[in-house]
Amino acid sequence: MTVASLLAAYAGAFMAAFLLVQAGGMLYLRRQRATGALSRRLAKLDGGDTAAKAEPLLRIAEASMPTRREAKPRLNLKRLHLQSGLSMPIWQLVAIAIAAATALVSLTLWLAFVPVVQAPIAGVLSLFILRWLLLRARKKRCDQFIEQLPDALDVATRSLLAGHPFVTSLGLVAEEMPEPVATEFQLLSEQLAYGVPMDDALDQLMTRVPAEDLHYLAMALSIHGQSGGNLTHTLRTLSDLIRGRFQLRAKIRALSSESRFTAKIMTVFPVLLYFALDLIAPDYFVDLWATGYGVHFVAFCTVMTLLGNYVVTKMIEIEV
């Protein structure tokens, strides 16, 4: 089988998988529209005010759903999608992961065109890529949240000193701060205003934003709700603590940037070198593949590269 026919077969397989995911996404959206039909009918009966009044309650219910069922494994991806804050539907992310996995498997032209072998590889790789995308988006969102959290606590402190209630201060933070702090504090304010207990609202907040520094805020607010105290002093102290931890982590990241860049170069360089040599001298690796151990050699090099990346990551990983 020639390379052109091989690529054509891969393109056909990709199009079939993409259309299948698109069909599943359309079915999911149709179910979502059917779920919201009742809210639209109520809005028409009440002149549109019902939907506006029910919007905070719908957000609270949606945010509470993963917390009540978080023990079920099938919600792992859904929880990651919630924590990532991505507006893109999960089925579109699945389509991107399948496309990326198909492209990566298509590059492995040294493997024989055996769908029985390559299709499972593409499927497993799609799951890894999807999880990697969600984890990367979640980490970026958590970092943005922690970077903005000290300023948000300062805004809440000034609001409390001006005589506003705590729930009103949270709403003011949602109005003044950018995303993602605005959305999370708005939802927290709505939950407290509608009677959700402080501990439950904080647990749901930590579920949506699994940032380590947020635990200090949740613990301080929980203790204050039970025993009382000077809330403004507590928030000001937490603001200084979280800001100092963020600055220390940024300094560590800057000092370890050389090691991280070296690890990335050492990971990409063998792949680039292989394709460069194969382009310049097509017969250079013929003897290697003729021995029958080429796939084993590639698998060994991949495992050693991943092991080296893991060791470098652990060497520069410093707990703050």
Side-chain angles (χ1 to χ4, degrees):
M1 181 176 289
T2 62
V3 175
S5 59
L6 179 63
L7 293 178
Y10 275 121
F14 166 72
M15 289 300 298
F18 184 76
L19 291 176
L20 180 62
V21 174
Q22 287 278 29
M26 294 302 296
L27 289 176
Y28 175 78
L29 290 178
R30 184 176 299 175
R31 292 183 58 184
Q32 290 296 105
R33 295 191 188 99
T35 304
L38 179 60
S39 299
R40 291 193 297 269
R41 287 197 295 268
L42 290 175
K44 291 180 180 179
L45 290 175
D46 199 27
D49 294 336
T50 301
K53 295 177 181 178
E55 185 178 356
L57 295 177
L58 292 175
R59 287 201 298 265
I60 293 173
E62 184 180 358
S64 304
M65 188 180 301
T67 305
R68 295 196 300 267
R69 302 179 181 177
E70 63 183 357
K72 294 186 178 181
R74 65 185 180 87
L75 285 181
N76 287 339
L77 290 179
K78 184 177 180 180
R79 191 186 306 115
L80 281 177
H81 184 255
L82 173 67
Q83 294 170 351
S84 66
L86 295 175
S87 58
M88 183 181 300
I90 187 68
W91 62 271
Q92 290 187 2
L93 292 174
V94 172
I96 293 175
I98 292 176
T102 305
L104 290 176
V105 173
S106 300
L107 291 176
T108 59
L109 298 179
W110 55 82
L111 295 177
F113 181 67
V114 183
V116 178
V117 177
Q118 293 182 336
I121 294 177
V124 174
L125 189 60
S126 299
L127 292 177
F128 278 104
I129 292 176
L130 176 61
R131 184 174 178 83
W132 177 79
L133 289 174
L134 293 175
L135 289 175
R136 185 177 179 85
R138 184 183 72 172
K139 183 179 183 303
K140 182 179 179 180
R141 186 169 185 264
C142 289
D143 291 343
Q144 291 178 349
F145 186 90
I146 294 303
E147 184 179 3
Q148 299 169 3
L149 185 58
D151 296 333
L153 295 180
D154 292 340
V155 173
T157 301
R158 291 193 294 268
S159 178
L160 290 172
L161 291 175
H164 295 155
F166 179 63
V167 177
T168 305
S169 301
L170 295 179
L172 183 62
V173 171
E175 294 177 0
E176 298 293 333
M177 296 298 298
E179 297 292 339
V181 167
T183 299
E184 296 301 333
F185 272 73
Q186 179 66 32
L187 184 55
L188 179 62
S189 174
E190 291 173 353
Q191 287 176 319
L192 297 177
Y194 279 92
V196 178
M198 174 70 77
D199 292 340
D200 294 343
L202 293 174
D203 289 341
Q204 294 172 15
L205 175 61
M206 288 186 294
T207 300
R208 298 191 302 271
V209 186
E212 182 181 357
D213 292 348
L214 190 58
H215 288 270
Y216 298 109
L217 175 62
M219 188 182 304
L221 293 179
S222 179
I223 294 175
H224 180 270
Q226 297 176 4
S227 59
N230 190 347
L231 183 57
T232 57
H233 179 268
T234 301
L235 294 180
R236 188 180 295 112
T237 304
L238 277 174
S239 175
D240 296 337
L241 174 64
I242 295 174
R243 185 177 285 109
R245 286 169 56 87
F246 181 82
Q247 292 175 352
L248 182 57
R249 280 196 294 266
K251 184 177 181 180
I252 293 174
R253 184 174 179 82
L255 293 175
S256 61
S257 59
E258 181 180 357
S259 300
R260 290 185 286 107
F261 182 74
T262 301
K264 293 178 181 178
I265 291 296
M266 296 303 295
T267 302
V268 178
F269 182 74
V271 179
L272 296 179
L273 181 62
Y274 170 80
F275 283 108
L277 290 177
D278 187 62
L279 181 63
I280 297 173
D283 298 333
Y284 190 83
F285 294 101
V286 172
D287 295 337
L288 174 63
W289 300 120
T291 59
Y293 294 102
V295 177
H296 302 82
F297 178 76
V298 171
F300 175 77
C301 292
T302 303
V303 171
M304 295 303 295
T305 300
L306 295 177
L307 181 61
N309 285 333
Y310 176 78
V311 171
V312 172
T313 302
K314 287 299 180 182
M315 288 176 61
I316 62 177
E317 184 177 334
I318 301 176
E319 296 291 337
V320 178

